[in-house]
Amino acid sequence: MKSQKLKMSFDPHTIEHLGIKMYSVLPNAIAELIANAYDAEARTVHVKLYNDNGNKRIAVIDDGVGMSFDEINNNFLRIGRKRRTDDDGLSPNGIRKVTGRKGLGKLAFFGIGDTIRITTCQNGQCVKFTLSWPELMSTNSQEYEPKFSIYKCDTKQNGTIIELDDLKRKSDFDKDDLAISLSKLFNFFDDTFKVYISYNEEGELLINNELKYQNLSPQIIWDFPNEDVKNEYLENHNVIGRILATEKPLKPGLRGITLFAHGRLVNAPEFFGVGESSHGYSYLTGWLNVDFIDELEEDVISTDRQSLSWDLPVTSELQANLKQLLSAIERDWRNKRKIERQKRISGKVQIDIKDWYGKLPSDVKSGVENIVNNVVENSELADDKQTEVVGMLHALIPEYANYHWRHMHSTVKDASYEDYKNADFYRAVEEAIKRYETIIQKVSGLKIDGQTLMGAVFGKNNAKLSVTSKYKRTDGSDFSESTKENIEDGQKFMSMGLMAGVRNPLAHEEKKELKTTDLFSEKDCLDILSLISHLFRRLDDAEKLD
């Protein structure tokens, strides 16, 4: 037993640079301990945070296979060990693809604490040893010999406990915040690998893959591969993932797409060179699994696992296709968001926006769509404000705007509306004229029709109806006889002209010829409907003469 000893070979300056400077951020350092547990085939990991009157410490406990004394010496304490070469990249029993690659993760301990106590058990033997940062840095040789002890334990007591003490951290722990941060560094949490986090042995919280997006409100989700945004290169490389767009813009730190390989972060959230001038990218977040990157012979993942080496041919091709994918998603987002907002607004104002567009004149439709799409739907106005704006716009420019703008008489609308909706403006005019003629016959009691009817009913001489007799000046006096006669004759001649110049041509000529030659256009029909509305208004005020 006395001949046994543990050794760590190192250059102290390398340890200082890689250990402290690279892993000084708490989530990244703890992530290394979680990754070690995963690679050791653990099914459950407990991250325990403690603060006893300012004395802060961390314990990470796993139920993995543990380490023998020789494995500690040859593997764990060997800095820079190429695990993929030594172990074929598999966990001890070959059930997992290991996440470790460079052999530097163990230095994470020293990034956050000066004293590391490790207890690891395997097959009835436990090894307990302590790594001290001050001792390590004060050694005069390139070998550091940590203190240790070996003792027997239950053969079922496999696993490893790593306790971090003498922490450099000044602020207190935030369990919930740390849980979310850790969830963003991994994508392999499931029923076969569970990680819990607690603070002072209270309120243990399960860390899972959904935690990273739990406070977001997804509006649109793309599970990749996706039929709407296909990318042959990514599909051929078995890239899978989920990208989502939120209802409101994300804070800058939450935007971007994270890349994972075998469940572990390899590239922090970004948009891979796509132009981010479109505000659509401020709504996008998500992740993609690019496992093939971790299986390349060449290591293209940075030491701190925050980025890939994008200047290599294989990664450049990946980046180009990711850029292409995100551009397609941004376009699809615009279309889907437009439809989604239209549904919400339509429901609130009870207007079928698509149907409304279809019933607008062509020279008005594009302007209305532009206002709704760009000013309303693409703005950051709240839904209630958007609804209010669309409601006001609809009131100003309703369906069949040309029809409404002429302020059609209610009787004209009743007679012609169905034909107007069907865009049969000629028939709409004919039906309105028929209704006008029928009502005049009923009011006057005359059985004649056409110009003869109009000449007999209206005018200054021998008329059956007067359209001016009920009107007085504001002082109670009569309007001049000439004014009243002119209006009476106007009603007569306009009504006769309606029969001669409108009804008769429409009855005797092909509508196609009238429309094609522009002899009697659809716009003329709209103008005539306005004229009939004026004549009806006069008729409403008419008094029967003896």
Side-chain angles (χ1 to χ4, degrees):
M1 182 66 69
K2 289 184 179 180
S3 63
Q4 290 181 309
K5 61 181 180 180
L6 298 176
K7 294 181 180 180
M8 176 184 282
S9 299
F10 67 96
D11 181 323
H13 295 292
T14 300
I15 298 293
E16 182 176 15
H17 179 74
L18 295 177
I20 292 182
K21 295 184 178 179
M22 190 170 63
Y23 295 106
S24 59
V25 179
L26 183 62
N28 292 356
I30 294 180
E32 291 295 334
L33 305 182
I34 293 174
N36 285 351
Y38 180 86
D39 292 347
E41 299 182 353
R43 293 182 60 86
T44 306
V45 180
H46 295 272
V47 178
K48 297 179 179 289
L49 310 172
Y50 299 94
N51 186 349
D52 184 12
N53 295 322
N55 180 27
K56 291 180 281 293
R57 59 190 178 89
I58 300 171
V60 178
I61 305 168
D62 72 61
D63 60 359
V65 297
M67 294 179 285
S68 67
F69 187 87
D70 288 340
E71 287 172 337
I72 296 171
N73 242 348
N74 299 331
N75 300 340
F76 185 79
L77 295 181
R78 182 177 155 201
I79 297 173
R81 169 180 173 250
K82 293 184 178 180
R83 187 167 188 177
R84 302 294 176 88
T85 302
D86 294 350
D87 301 331
D88 295 325
L90 299 175
S91 59
N93 294 310
I95 66 173
R96 288 176 181 162
K97 185 81 173 180
V98 298
T99 65
R101 184 161 188 161
K102 297 177 172 67
L104 299 175
K106 67 209 60 165
L107 302 179
F109 313 155
F110 294 125
I112 56 177
D114 284 347
T115 302
I116 317 298
R117 290 188 296 273
I118 301 171
T119 303
T120 183
C121 303
Q122 186 182 91
N123 300 327
Q125 177 178 282
C126 288
V127 181
K128 187 172 184 177
F129 60 100
T130 301
L131 303 177
S132 170
W133 177 252
E135 290 179 5
L136 187 151
M137 294 305 295
S138 64
T139 183
N140 294 322
S141 67
Q142 290 188 342
E143 291 186 351
Y144 169 55
E145 299 182 7
K147 299 178 179 66
F148 71 93
S149 62
I150 301 176
Y151 56 92
K152 291 183 179 180
C153 61
D154 191 324
T155 56
K156 296 180 181 180
Q157 189 181 336
N158 293 333
T160 300
I161 301 173
I162 298 179
E163 298 174 274
L164 312 180
D165 213 335
D166 296 326
L167 301 188
K168 301 166 186 177
R169 183 183 182 88
K170 301 300 181 184
S171 59
D172 198 5
F173 298 116
D174 186 327
K175 178 190 68 177
D176 295 329
D177 187 59
L178 182 56
I180 293 174
S181 295
L182 289 171
S183 74
K184 294 178 180 180
L185 299 176
F186 298 103
N187 213 35
F188 52 30
F189 301 115
D190 58 22
D191 289 339
T192 67
F193 185 69
K194 295 184 177 181
V195 178
Y196 298 88
I197 186 169
S198 64
Y199 179 67
N200 285 340
E201 298 291 352
E202 297 178 356
E204 195 169 52
L205 174 67
L206 175 66
I207 302 174
N208 55 39
N209 297 327
E210 289 71 36
L211 196 60
K212 58 175 70 73
Y213 302 123
Q214 72 165 0
N215 294 324
L216 303 183
S217 300
Q219 182 182 35
I220 304 167
I221 296 176
W222 296 265
D223 286 316
F224 194 81
N226 189 284
E227 287 298 318
D228 295 332
V229 286
K230 297 180 70 64
N231 184 286
E232 187 175 350
Y233 170 88
L234 297 177
E235 291 179 29
N236 290 340
H237 284 79
N238 299 316
V239 174
I240 63 172
R242 170 170 286 191
I243 296 175
L244 56 89
T246 53
E247 293 182 3
K248 296 180 179 180
L250 293 161
K251 294 179 180 179
L254 297 175
R255 302 171 187 173
I257 311 305
T258 305
L259 299 185
F260 294 94
H262 294 119
R264 194 167 180 194
L265 183 144
V266 294
N267 200 88
E270 63 164 295
F271 291 109
F272 312 104
V274 71
E276 298 175 39
S277 57
S278 168
H279 79 292
Y281 292 104
S282 63
Y283 292 80
L284 296 180
T285 188
W287 56 270
L288 293 171
N289 284 342
V290 290
D291 291 348
F292 77 96
I293 285 295
D294 201 28
E295 296 167 2
L296 298 173
E297 184 174 346
E298 183 177 7
D299 187 0
V300 299
I301 305 169
S302 65
T303 302
D304 63 358
R305 304 189 72 89
Q306 293 299 298
S307 65
L308 298 178
S309 301
W310 292 113
D311 55 348
L312 301 173
V314 64
T315 50
S316 293
E317 188 174 13
L318 171 63
Q319 185 181 43
N321 281 276
L322 290 172
K323 179 179 179 180
Q324 184 182 83
L325 174 67
L326 289 176
S327 295
I329 283 178
E330 197 272 343
R331 291 192 297 271
D332 194 51
W333 168 79
R334 287 185 175 278
N335 293 332
K336 285 183 168 65
R337 186 174 187 246
K338 175 181 176 181
I339 294 171
E340 190 69 26
R341 281 197 162 184
Q342 284 184 358
K343 287 181 180 177
R344 290 205 308 270
I345 294 171
S346 294
K348 290 186 177 182
V349 297
Q350 297 187 347
I351 298 170
D352 186 329
I353 293 179
K354 186 175 181 180
D355 181 67
W356 174 31
Y357 289 162
K359 293 176 179 177
L360 292 175
S362 57
D363 59 336
V364 174
K365 179 181 177 182
S366 60
V368 172
E369 283 186 304
N370 184 59
I371 292 172
V372 175
N373 292 343
N374 297 324
V375 178
V376 179
E377 292 180 354
N378 290 334
S379 72
E380 299 309 320
L381 291 173
D383 278 2
D384 289 344
K385 183 59 67 174
Q386 290 180 10
T387 300
E388 180 183 348
V389 172
V390 171
M392 290 190 294
L393 187 62
H394 178 263
L396 291 171
I397 312 174
E399 295 90 342
Y400 309 115
N402 282 341
Y403 193 67
H404 288 81
W405 284 340
R406 286 171 166 77
H407 303 294
M408 299 298 176
H409 188 278
S410 59
T411 306
V412 174
K413 287 182 181 180
D414 184 64
S416 64
Y417 188 61
E418 289 302 319
D419 293 313
Y420 187 94
K421 284 198 301 183
N422 295 327
D424 189 346
F425 303 117
Y426 294 96
R427 180 177 169 80
V429 168
E430 289 179 311
E431 292 301 306
I433 292 175
K434 288 179 185 177
R435 182 71 62 86
Y436 182 60
E437 185 179 52
T438 299
I439 290 175
I440 291 174
Q441 288 174 332
K442 186 179 296 185
V443 172
S444 67
L446 299 178
K447 301 300 182 183
I448 53 179
D449 59 16
Q451 294 183 69
T452 305
L453 174 66
M454 303 306 165
V457 171
F458 300 114
K460 63 180 179 179
N461 297 317
N462 303 317
K464 297 293 183 182
L465 298 174
S466 170
V467 296
T468 63
S469 60
K470 65 179 287 186
Y471 289 97
K472 302 287 184 182
R473 295 182 185 275
T474 55
D475 61 3
S477 62
D478 289 329
F479 284 97
S480 67
E481 286 301 315
S482 62
T483 295
K484 292 194 288 185
E485 287 178 1
N486 286 333
I487 291 176
E488 298 285 358
D489 283 344
Q491 185 78 7
K492 171 183 176 179
F493 294 125
M494 282 191 285
S495 297
M496 293 176 68
L498 188 65
M499 298 298 162
V502 179
R503 189 190 69 168
N504 292 346
L506 295 185
H508 298 122
E509 294 288 345
E510 291 184 29
K511 309 297 191 303
K512 180 180 178 182
E513 288 295 323
L514 294 174
K515 180 178 179 180
T516 303
T517 61
D518 219 26
L519 176 60
F520 204 104
S521 68
E522 290 184 335
K523 189 176 184 303
D524 290 329
C525 291
L526 296 176
D527 292 338
I528 294 300
L529 288 172
S530 292
L531 172 61
I532 301 173
S533 289
H534 168 72
L535 295 175
F536 260 116
R537 193 186 75 76
R538 291 287 187 201
L539 184 61
D540 289 340
D541 297 334
E543 293 183 345
K544 197 168 185 179
L545 301 176
D546 296 334

